[in-house]
């Protein structure tokens, strides 16, 4: 039996996508073989990768002045590739520190230049997006960096920093395609696939063309964006099956009605859970209201033993992977695009029942 999987990642995939993949698993269309067995240079596979890129471009309205790359190494390798490729001018970059993932990016950037932290909410367990003034940004910086949706703490940037002519680099691993975004606002967008796009193994990088080739050829070939851009992500064998799965997820999104419909559903799902958290006497959300994420919703009862009892009881009801990240504790419901509204309703119904039983002293 399938459960409602609230994992932060790898995460739930649309059932229709899994079923389509299953139907094509052994033999893809008229190719006589599985996608996994195909040469990445075959005609059949070229159509898959080109189709995947085209669907992503359509869904996100990516301008022609941006390259789409399908890389490996996860979002974490981008923490290295970004400074390696971009910290080549003033060798300075500005960061807003909103959690573990931005801290890791800062740590890597320090290996290549000066990583200047403009603002941080670390002292309050990253429960909000810190404020900053436009004047704090260094006009000479090679880029400004943010992690737009903070998977662990359930916060997101509702407004992007205005960085002027300095390119904005954003980690969108846990929010890409969750709502409408203007690609023109960014220099580089990257996202590991296993949150909102598909299975683990492929990382999507959307990069403005003028940011490619800012570094000389002395850096490792595989870590140079230029290598992958010049070879349409085919310098070496790309993660062929993960890209195929990504293509199926994008096809599913288009069939749903595209980004506007997905955004509307995501807002509806998130508000079902937030509305309850705001009225519950037992549970409360841990992220600042004005910075709440649409995708990751952490909450607590305030009592660790009760939290653990809740997670255990929920699991028994087929509501799984609700345990919060170890740095925040409590619970976290990740409700990515593929989480059906019924999953969120089932969770809230269960929380209400748990709260009632707690009030009555049954627990
Ligand atoms: C999960 C996650 C990462 C790490 O991704 P990997 O693909 O495992 O390297 C980075 N940033 C954010 C925002 C994430 O949610």
């Amino acid at each position: 039996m399938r459960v409602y999987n609230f994992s932060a990642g790898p995460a739930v995939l649309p059932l229709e996508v899994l079923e389509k993949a299953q139907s094509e698993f052994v033999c893809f269309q008229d190719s006589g073989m599985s996608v996994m067995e195909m040469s990445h240079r075959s005609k059949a596979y070229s159509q898959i990768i080109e189709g995947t890129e085209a669907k992503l471009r359509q869904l996100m309205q990516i301008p022609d002045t941006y390259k789409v790359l399908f890389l490996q190494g996860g979002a974490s390798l981008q923490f290295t590739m970004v400074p390696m490729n971009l910290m080549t001018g003033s060798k300075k970059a500005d960061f807003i520190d909103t959690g573990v993932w931005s801290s890791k990016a800062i740590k890597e950037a320090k290996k290549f230049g000066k990583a200047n932290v403009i603002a941080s909410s670390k002292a309050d367990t990253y429960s909000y997006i810190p404020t900053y003034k436009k004047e704090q940004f260094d006009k000479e910086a090679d880029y400004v960096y943010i992690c737009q949706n903070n998977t662990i703490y359930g916060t997101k940037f509702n407004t992007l920093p205005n960085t002027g002519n300095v390119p904005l680099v954003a980690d969108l691993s846990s929010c890409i395609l969750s709502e409408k975004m203007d690609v023109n606002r960014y220099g580089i967008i990257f996202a590991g696939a296993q949150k909102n796009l598909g299975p683990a193994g492929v990382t999507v990088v959307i990069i403005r063309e003028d940011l490619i080739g800012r570094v000389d050829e002395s850096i490792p070939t595989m870590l140079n964006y230029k290598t992958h851009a010049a070879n349409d992500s085919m310098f070496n064998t790309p993660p062929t099956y993960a890209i195929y799965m990504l293509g199926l997820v994008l096809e599913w999104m288009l069939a749903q009605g595209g980004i506007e419909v997905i955004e509307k559903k995501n807002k509806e799902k998130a508000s079902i859970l937030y509305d309850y958290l705001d009225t519950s006497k037992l549970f409360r959300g841990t992220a600042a209201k004005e910075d709440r994420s649409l995708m990751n919703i952490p909450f607590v009862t305030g009592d660790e033993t009760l939290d653990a009892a809740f997670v255990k009881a929920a699991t028994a009801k087929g509501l799984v992977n609700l345990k919060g990240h170890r740095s925040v504790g409590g619970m976290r419901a990740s409700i990515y695009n593929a989480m059906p509204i019924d999953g969120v309703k089932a969770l809230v119904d269960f929380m209400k029942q748990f709260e009632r039983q707690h009030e009555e002293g049954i627990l």
Side-chain angles (χ1 to χ4, degrees):
M1 194 195 70
R2 278 180 66 80
V3 293
Y4 287 122
N5 178 9
F6 295 94
S7 169
V12 56
L13 287 167
L15 182 59
E16 296 94 320
V17 166
L18 296 172
E19 285 172 344
K20 173 99 189 267
Q22 183 180 42
S23 76
E24 295 179 330
F25 189 74
V26 172
C27 195
F28 177 76
Q29 295 176 5
D30 59 2
S31 71
M33 63 183 82
S34 172
V35 172
M36 263 182 265
E37 301 170 299
M38 274 176 196
S39 162
H40 57 294
R41 310 214 183 266
S42 65
K43 192 153 172 265
Y45 193 75
S46 298
Q47 282 174 357
I48 291 173
I49 193 169
E50 284 163 18
T52 303
E53 177 175 340
K55 284 173 212 135
L56 186 66
R57 284 187 178 276
Q58 187 184 344
L59 280 162
M60 293 185 77
Q61 305 206 343
I62 302 172
D64 290 343
T65 46
Y66 287 72
K67 284 274 186 196
V68 173
L69 309 176
F70 299 117
L71 306 184
Q72 301 189 61
S76 298
L77 186 59
Q78 295 310 306
F79 300 161
T80 307
M81 279 180 77
V82 167
M84 201 177 224
N85 283 266
L86 256 53
M87 270 184 158
T88 56
S90 65
K91 294 189 161 52
K92 295 184 287 185
D94 287 339
F95 290 79
I96 300 173
D97 175 25
T98 54
V100 163
W101 299 120
S102 56
S103 301
K104 287 189 173 178
I106 292 163
K107 189 174 169 215
E108 288 302 292
K110 282 181 177 162
K111 297 176 183 177
F112 300 94
K114 190 169 182 308
N116 182 29
V117 179
I118 296 280
S120 172
S121 49
K122 187 175 183 183
D124 298 296
T125 329
Y126 297 113
S127 58
Y128 61 94
I129 301 292
T131 53
Y132 46 85
K133 291 200 179 70
K134 207 177 156 212
E135 302 78 65
Q136 284 177 271
F137 291 110
D138 184 344
K139 287 192 180 65
E140 285 176 6
D142 289 328
Y143 61 94
V144 173
Y145 183 98
I146 62 166
C147 177
Q148 193 160 320
N149 183 77
N150 296 281
T151 326
I152 297 172
Y153 318 92
T155 62
K156 75 156 172 152
F157 284 80
N158 281 308
T159 39
L160 294 177
N162 182 353
T163 61
N165 289 328
V166 178
L168 177 65
V169 175
D171 177 354
L172 264 59
S173 292
S174 52
C175 64
I176 190 166
L177 288 170
S178 63
E179 60 184 328
K180 210 167 162 48
M181 290 172 192
D182 180 4
V183 175
N184 288 295
R185 294 287 307 274
Y186 304 86
I188 297 179
I189 287 170
F190 67 85
Q194 70 274 20
K195 277 48 185 269
N196 215 12
L197 293 178
V202 60
T203 305
V204 170
V205 176
I206 302 166
I207 179 168
R208 215 174 62 207
E209 273 168 6
D210 64 290
L211 300 177
I212 298 168
R214 290 201 171 183
V215 67
D216 66 39
E217 306 286 330
S218 66
I219 69 166
T221 308
M222 279 292 286
L223 299 182
N224 193 334
Y225 287 125
K226 195 175 166 188
T227 303
H228 302 286
N231 291 282
D232 296 322
S233 306
M234 290 274 195
F235 173 74
N236 69 325
T237 318
T240 52
Y241 198 77
I243 293 168
Y244 157 76
M245 288 295 291
L246 165 61
L248 293 187
V249 171
L250 300 174
E251 187 179 292
W252 173 84
M253 288 192 64
L254 286 166
Q256 296 279 301
I259 199 77
E260 284 85 4
V261 176
I262 298 270
E263 172 172 344
K264 193 165 160 277
K265 285 186 182 172
N266 285 336
K267 286 184 171 159
E268 198 182 335
K269 286 187 296 182
S271 60
I272 291 171
L273 186 45
Y274 284 129
D275 288 351
Y276 170 62
L277 288 171
D278 290 344
T279 54
S280 169
K281 290 194 186 73
L282 182 62
F283 299 101
R284 68 175 176 85
T286 54
K289 273 191 187 174
E290 60 279 15
D291 301 323
R292 281 171 164 177
S293 166
L294 283 178
M295 299 278 99
N296 312 97
I297 306 187
F299 56 94
V300 295
T301 62
D303 173 346
E304 278 179 33
T305 315
L306 200 55
D307 287 348
F310 173 79
V311 170
K312 195 168 169 225
T315 306
K317 292 278 182 199
L319 305 163
V320 312
N321 287 322
L322 283 163
K323 194 173 186 302
H325 190 268
R326 58 194 179 280
S327 62
V328 180
M331 284 70 73
R332 170 178 50 173
S334 293
I335 52 171
Y336 297 115
N337 292 349
M339 173 57 68
I341 193 159
D342 285 348
V344 181
K345 285 181 180 163
L347 172 62
V348 170
D349 285 347
F350 181 72
M351 290 168 77
K352 284 180 181 166
Q353 187 196 328
F354 190 88
E355 178 166 4
R356 244 185 345 261
Q357 290 179 339
H358 180 257
E359 264 169 27
E360 291 163 4
I362 297 169
L363 296 167

